[in-house]
Amino acid sequence: MGMIERHKLILNELEKDGFVKVTDLTERLGVSAVTIRKDLKKLESQKKLFRSHGSVSLFSSLISDRHIDEKEKIMTDEKLRIAEAANRLLESNDNIIIASGTTVLAFANKISMTDPLTVFTSSIKVSLSLYFRQNIEVIQLGGVLRKSSASVVGPEAENFLNNLTCNKLFIGIDGLDFDFGLTTSNIDEAHLNRIMMLAAKKVIVLADSSKFYKRGLGKICDLSQVHQIITDTNAPSHAVQMLRDKDIEVTLV
């Protein structure tokens, strides 16, 4: 099989599944790993696919900063299922941090607990969502307001969090990459997220399957710092297994 034929078959496989493991390609095409790596490098240079930790993706791995109102309309069913699963993790008298993003906002909207709950959040929309709930004490972090995310960033929020210890952090992301870790599209937000993680005993990532094998501008953390990820059943099965191999609890909804 010639190079052009192999490239066509590789792209056809990606069209079907969106993701494919490099080892699967060597088996399907009956060529060596060295040949496949050369093919993938060539296709990546042509901006036709993106390589990441033993797998390839057909889509761009780079995430741009989009307005929260736009992101709220994407993967809505998946976000609702993730939110319902996150809601079931809450316990009476929890002190939790809810970061910014549309998936954690969906979680805030789904909170059904009637027992006392304390919520620290950087998100204006999360605060407004929980404002009228009599059993929930809401502490809105201060700082510079990012209009695209309707959330605050900066030293005011970071300094406040430095004096806290909370049970759980519920955090949304823009990208999950096995080489680069968790990312968001804004550097200041990524830095605040890192401070949030230091203030929480358990880090719970709420991320739909479209976030896998993507990268945002700002790195939040390595995967080793995550305790649990809640995602939808469209997440690549090999990626889910890789996370579980890292002792990360993965909940599929």
Side-chain angles (χ1 to χ4, degrees), residues 116-120 133-139:
L117 178 69
T118 301
V119 175
F120 299 87
R133 298 286 300 278
Q134 294 302 312
N135 64 306
I136 301 178
E137 182 178 9
V138 181
I139 294 91

Side-chain angles (χ1 to χ4, degrees), residues 19 24 47 77 81-82 93-94 146 196 226 229 252:
F19 302 93
D24 289 342
K47 301 189 183 301
D77 290 342
R81 297 200 302 271
I82 292 168
N93 293 305
D94 259 348
R146 289 191 64 231
M196 288 178 173
V226 174
I229 295 175
L252 298 175

Side-chain angles (χ1 to χ4, degrees), residues 96-102 104-105 107 119-124 126 141 151 169-172 189 192-193 196:
I96 68 172
I97 304 171
I98 301 180
S100 64
T102 55
V104 293
L105 175 59
F107 159 58
V119 175
F120 299 87
T121 185
S122 58
S123 169
I124 302 297
V126 167
L141 300 178
S151 65
L169 163 63
F170 295 88
I171 184 172
E189 193 169 272
L192 178 59
N193 289 162
M196 288 178 173

